[in-house]
Amino acid sequence: MILGVGTDLANIERIAATLEKFGDRFRNRVFTDVEQRKAERRADVAGTYAKRWAAKEACSKALGTGLRMGIAWKDMAVANLETGQPVMHLTGWAAERLAEMTPPGHEAVVHVSLTDDHPWAQAFVLIEARPIG
């Protein structure tokens, strides 16, 4: 069963300008250490950050809150499996919201897809409830 869907489109050049203007203040407010390490070793640093920004926005929409009601940017974090597939990890208030949304006898699975085509980065998040057992 689908619990939530979210999508977001981010402008890579806008994220690059924000990185230039605010630097570590922006990075540390929005992105986890893992996300920062990933982005900083990529050729397209701003594009990598933009995709993760879009994923956080999309996830907040899928949670039905947007970025309000206590969700912090770092409560939603994108990592990658060894295959390169992105995965979303929720902590804090985002994890609490996910637990509230999940029906008894089910487990929540957060699916995330990322793409970019300069100057755009896009993310799509789908939250699924799977029966346990």
Side-chain angles (χ1 to χ4, degrees):
M1 134 186 10
I2 296 174
L3 300 179
V5 175
T7 187
D8 192 68
L9 185 65
N11 185 287
I12 296 170
E13 292 170 3
R14 190 186 100 202
I15 297 297
T18 302
L19 287 164
E20 180 71 27
K21 183 174 181 178
F22 297 105
D24 285 342
R25 188 169 143 215
F26 172 65
R27 281 182 195 88
N28 294 331
R29 179 174 167 252
V30 176
F31 302 101
T32 65
D33 292 341
V34 170
E35 290 172 314
Q36 289 182 48
R37 283 193 301 274
K38 174 82 170 182
E40 295 299 327
R41 55 176 199 260
R42 300 298 282 271
D44 184 7
V45 172
T48 302
Y49 279 122
K51 285 186 279 191
R52 278 146 182 78
W53 170 279
K56 292 168 187 272
E57 288 274 6
C59 185
S60 72
K61 293 171 186 174
L63 289 168
T65 64
L67 284 161
R68 58 181 176 83
M69 296 175 57
I71 272 189
W73 287 101
K74 288 184 173 183
D75 285 349
M76 301 165 289
V78 178
N80 295 85
L81 300 176
E82 287 185 21
T83 61
Q85 177 184 352
V87 292
M88 181 71 70
H89 298 286
L90 303 182
T91 59
W93 196 91
E96 291 172 22
R97 172 68 180 148
L98 182 62
E100 289 172 6
M101 295 171 60
T102 307
H106 290 75
E107 65 178 344
V109 180
V110 181
H111 303 275
V112 60
S113 180
L114 306 174
T115 191
D116 64 290
D117 187 8
H118 197 86
W120 301 107
Q122 184 176 28
F124 182 82
V125 172
L126 183 136
I127 301 174
E128 171 191 13
R130 290 184 186 160
I132 297 173

